[in-house]
Amino acid sequence: MTIGAQVKGCYSAIKSVEASLQLLTAKTNEQEQQIKLMEAERMITEIKNDLRHQVIQLSKEEPQYQ
């Protein structure tokens, strides 16, 4: 498995985590828990965006593995 494929897999997993956090935040009634979940979601979103840039960069460097 190429590095590009591994990063793409990680990107997909992070997107799933982000969606799960969004659902949990929507279902939680306690404000303190919502704040913590939103903070976690914000951090995951930043990581997802960084990984997206990595996927783009790697696809330029490893076009034969597309």
Side-chain angles (χ1 to χ4, degrees):
M1 180 180 283
T2 67
I3 296 294
Q6 290 175 337
V7 172
K8 284 180 183 178
C10 187
Y11 177 72
S12 295
I14 288 291
K15 284 174 49 176
S16 177
V17 169
E18 181 185 43
S20 294
L21 285 170
Q22 289 171 347
L23 287 173
L24 285 171
T25 302
K27 290 181 179 182
T28 302
N29 293 328
E30 294 182 34
Q31 186 175 12
E32 185 177 330
Q33 292 296 327
Q34 283 182 332
I35 290 169
K36 289 179 181 181
L37 288 167
M38 286 189 299
E39 185 176 324
E41 182 187 336
R42 183 188 54 78
M43 287 188 282
I44 291 296
T45 299
E46 287 179 27
I47 293 168
K48 181 193 77 172
N49 290 338
D50 289 344
L51 280 172
R52 183 171 44 98
H53 292 295
Q54 279 297 111
V55 167
I56 292 167
Q57 184 64 34
L58 286 169
S59 67
K60 291 176 184 176
E61 292 175 7
E62 297 181 354
Q64 70 273 22
Y65 298 115
Q66 293 287 329

